[in-house]
Amino acid sequence: MKTLCLIATLSLLPLAPVYAHETAPSEKVNVLQEKMLKNLPGKKAMMLTVDYAPGQSSVAHKHEGTAMAYVLEGAITSQVKGEPATTYKAGEFWYEAAGSEHLVSKNASSTEPAKLLVFMVMDKDEAVLIPLKN
């Protein structure tokens, strides 16, 4: 009977492994709008926000489409391959050409949140973010 209770209890545990060294959840991405572009067949435009908790960062990634980012709150440190890391404060912005490798994208503060507004143009089936392999 004790074995049956133990098996029943274990079956309630999550199947995915949980590690003590897991990092905080990734940034919060909120798609504000996504529209197909009539003047560019097969292309879509997306507008989204990215919220970073204090000290939070994105994985190194690339965007297949073009991206323009505007800092709404806080400060963001960004680095595209081949360029120096730059910290942008609220009201500042940058451009990323299609296919750029975004090596660093993080909240520059360990105590305050940060938020970006991002506008992207991409093919209709392209992913917003593609993680880079090491």
Side-chain angles (χ1 to χ4, degrees):
M1 185 66 164
K2 288 182 183 180
T3 303
L4 185 57
C5 289
L6 177 60
I7 291 170
T9 302
L10 290 175
S11 70
L12 298 175
L13 295 175
L15 295 177
V18 178
Y19 302 99
H21 64 277
E22 282 186 358
T23 59
S26 65
E27 70 279 9
K28 179 182 172 194
V29 177
N30 182 31
V31 177
L32 302 174
Q33 60 178 319
E34 180 176 345
K35 300 286 182 186
M36 294 304 298
L37 299 173
K38 290 183 181 180
N39 62 332
L40 292 172
K43 299 284 186 183
K44 68 180 175 183
M46 290 185 75
M47 183 184 297
L48 49 101
T49 56
V50 181
D51 290 276
Y52 289 101
Q56 194 172 44
S57 63
S58 298
V59 298
H61 61 275
K62 73 175 184 175
H63 305 285
E64 291 178 318
T66 299
M68 291 185 280
Y70 178 84
V71 182
L72 294 169
E73 299 173 21
I76 303 287
T77 299
S78 178
Q79 181 181 19
V80 174
K81 187 175 184 178
E83 298 178 13
T86 304
T87 299
Y88 300 91
K89 297 177 183 165
E92 296 180 326
F93 51 87
W94 71 91
Y95 167 84
E96 291 179 35
S100 297
E101 293 185 4
H102 202 164
L103 305 177
V104 176
S105 183
K106 67 178 183 177
N107 185 340
S109 172
S110 60
T111 59
E112 299 294 324
K115 186 172 192 169
L116 286 174
L117 175 66
V118 180
F119 178 77
M120 300 181 75
V121 175
M122 66 190 84
D123 287 341
K124 68 177 184 173
D125 296 324
E126 288 178 340
V128 171
L129 180 147
I130 301 166
L132 294 176
K133 295 178 179 158
N134 293 338

